[in-house]
Amino acid sequence: MERLQKVIAHAGIASRRKAEELILAGRVKVNGVTMKELGAKAGPKDRVEVDDVPIYQEEPVYFVLYKPRGIISAVTDDKGRKTVVDYFIDVPERIYPVGRLDYDTSGLLLLTNDGAFAQRLTHPKHEVDKVYVAKVKGIADQKKLYPLTKGMRIEGHRLAPARYEILSTDKVAQTSIVSLTIHEGRNHQVKNMFQAIGLPVQKLKREKYGELTLAGLRPGEFRQLSRKEITSLLQQSK
Ligand code: URA
C-alpha cells in the first residue's frame, strides 16, 4: 500500500504536491469512495480515479542491464546523449536506474519502476556487495592495496573496509587488474579509492551486484529479474 498522492504521482498524472491538492479538492476516488485525507493509501489492486477517470497503476518491473561504456546512467540527459533507458524503448513502464555507473564505466546496472526497491538497495546502510574489476595504472601489491581494507577517509567520508583480489599484473605495460568488493555506492567511489593509493583507474566494470552477475548478457543487453533474484536482493539488503 502506498500513499494516494504517491500512487497518483507515480502514474504520471501529477506531481506529488499537485496530487495532494487533487485529493484535498475531493477529486480522487478509491474503489468508488472519495478520499479527502492525505493519509489515505491504495494498493495495486485498488481502483483509483481522478475526476472519475481511472488511473493506470504500473506493475513493478525489474531488469538487469549490461551497461556499455559511453552511456549515461539516467532517464534523460540535458546534452541529448544516449541513456541507459534508451535500451528499453519496448518496455512501457517508466523505469529508472538503481544508483548509477559512471559514463565510462561498464557493467551490471539494475533498473526498475519500484521506488521502494530502488531506495532500499541504494541506501548505504544496506549492505549489498558489489564487485568491480578495475584496470589500474601501476603495479598492485598487498602493501599498496592494504589501505583499501582498512576503511579509508575520502572527501570527508569514512568508507567501510573493502575486499580486493589482484587478478593480474603486467610489468611491461605497468598496469594491474584488481577486483574490489564494496557495499557502498558513493560517487566515483572505486576510482577515488584507487586514486588515493596511487593506482589511477583506467577502465572499470561492475561484475556483480549481490549474487547477480552478467552471465549470458553482452554489452547493451538486458533481461528481467526472476522473482527469486528480486527476493534474494531484498534479503541481502536487510
Ligand atoms: N565507482 C566508480 O568510481 N565509478 C562507478 O561507475 C561505480 C563505482
Side-chain angles (χ1 to χ4, degrees):
M1 297 281 270
E2 297 268 29
R3 277 173 185 267
L4 209 41
Q5 55 267 44
K6 197 163 164 193
V7 173
I8 296 168
H10 198 225
I13 308 292
S15 68
R16 251 190 235 196
R17 220 195 137 104
K18 187 88 213 321
E20 287 178 2
E21 285 171 27
L22 293 171
I23 295 166
L24 292 172
R27 292 167 60 185
V28 178
K29 284 185 193 154
V30 177
N31 303 323
V33 179
T34 302
M35 292 289 167
K36 279 192 153 184
E37 327 83 56
L38 296 179
K41 292 188 171 178
K45 299 235 157 65
D46 290 317
R47 183 183 165 90
V48 179
E49 292 163 285
V50 175
D51 293 335
D52 297 319
V53 179
I55 67 167
Y56 166 66
Q57 288 194 60
E58 288 183 351
E59 284 295 318
V61 289
Y62 309 85
F63 296 96
V64 50
L65 168 74
Y66 186 159
K67 175 194 169 305
R69 292 203 285 156
I71 305 288
I72 303 277
S73 292
V75 177
T76 54
D77 180 51
D78 51 11
K79 296 195 190 97
R81 288 171 297 183
K82 187 164 173 153
T83 78
V84 287
V85 170
D86 292 337
Y87 287 100
F88 295 83
I89 36 170
D90 294 329
V91 171
E93 289 84 6
R94 275 176 304 260
I95 55 169
Y96 46 86
V98 176
R100 54 178 56 220
L101 289 176
D102 293 336
Y103 182 71
D104 59 355
T105 299
S106 64
L108 197 159
L109 187 67
L110 298 174
L111 293 100
T112 185
N113 58 351
D114 180 342
F117 176 86
Q119 213 172 12
R120 176 140 158 198
L121 288 192
T122 48
H123 197 288
K125 80 169 197 272
H126 297 150
E127 313 208 345
V128 182
D129 277 348
K130 288 139 211 145
V131 180
Y132 293 86
V133 172
K135 180 181 180 195
V136 297
K137 183 76 194 147
I139 299 299
D141 57 28
Q142 282 192 16
K143 191 164 163 241
K144 270 206 174 127
L145 297 179
Y146 177 74
L148 301 177
T149 67
K150 284 292 126 196
M152 316 169 77
R153 204 170 177 83
I154 290 182
E155 290 171 354
H157 296 288
R158 165 77 54 200
L159 301 178
R163 299 193 303 279
Y164 73 82
E165 192 182 341
I166 301 171
L167 302 179
S168 65
T169 54
D170 182 336
K171 295 230 160 61
V172 178
Q174 286 292 302
T175 56
S176 312
I177 310 282
V178 183
S179 118
L180 188 73
T181 304
I182 60 171
H183 63 77
E184 300 148 307
R186 296 196 176 278
N187 264 354
H188 315 305
Q189 179 164 343
V190 175
K191 290 178 187 165
N192 288 342
M193 289 172 84
F194 279 111
Q195 184 73 38
I197 56 168
L199 296 171
V201 170
Q202 292 186 332
K203 226 172 168 185
L204 187 61
K205 178 178 174 191
R206 180 153 71 193
E207 298 235 314
K208 270 186 100 180
Y209 198 116
E211 292 306 311
L212 275 185
T213 69
L214 290 165
L217 294 176
R218 284 177 302 185
E221 289 184 344
F222 64 84
R223 67 171 176 85
Q224 263 190 292
L225 295 187
S226 67
R227 191 43 41 213
K228 201 167 149 205
E229 288 170 328
I230 298 162
T231 311
S232 154
L233 282 170
L234 287 172
Q235 267 164 4
Q236 285 164 68
S237 69
K238 273 199 179 135

